[in-house]
Amino acid sequence: MTKGLGIVTGRFGRVALRDMDTSLTTHAHAHCHVVFKVAGPDQHFTVDGAVLPLKADTAVLVNAWQEHQYAHRDDRERSVFLALYLDTDWLARADRPFSSCARPAFLATPRIPIS
């Protein structure tokens, strides 16, 4: 069962800390989405059919209205994720480079390294 450990909402969208041991069905939403693994074993997200490992040194990026899914690996314990749901109107107003953030290919790659 997924446990919401905390959520903050505002004009920017929302930020959620989730403790998960169950899958999420394929879905899409109006927000740009950034997902970080905070604790637990490595997992996988699927973005537009591409299976992407999510580890402590990567983040998964999802464009607005892009299909994505979390498929929990049954052989793994719970993982904790920090998910940013960024409102595209707010992001577009924040700075000129983000003005096209609601377009399908705004985030050019679905997975990036982080340090």
Side-chain angles (χ1 to χ4, degrees), residues 90-109:
W90 174 84
L91 195 55
R93 286 189 307 271
D95 201 358
R96 181 173 293 279
F98 301 126
S99 64
S100 62
C101 65
R103 294 191 180 140
F106 173 70
L107 299 169
T109 181

Side-chain angles (χ1 to χ4, degrees), residues 3-58:
K3 295 179 184 176
L5 301 176
I7 189 165
V8 176
T9 61
R11 293 186 339 209
F12 61 88
R14 68 185 181 275
V15 176
L17 188 63
R18 297 176 181 227
D19 182 349
M20 300 180 70
D21 69 351
T22 56
S23 299
L24 293 176
T25 188
T26 301
H27 64 285
H29 41 75
H31 297 95
C32 289
H33 199 18
V34 183
V35 183
F36 302 92
K37 185 190 83 155
V38 176
D42 296 343
Q43 296 288 349
H44 292 87
F45 274 74
T46 302
V47 178
D48 271 347
V51 178
L52 308 167
L54 184 55
K55 303 176 179 187
D57 63 352
T58 61

Side-chain angles (χ1 to χ4, degrees), residues 1-2 19-23 70 72 74 76-79:
M1 184 169 137
T2 296
D19 182 349
M20 300 180 70
D21 69 351
T22 56
S23 299
Y70 170 59
H72 186 81
D74 291 334
R76 302 290 177 116
E77 61 190 60
R78 307 180 74 84
S79 292

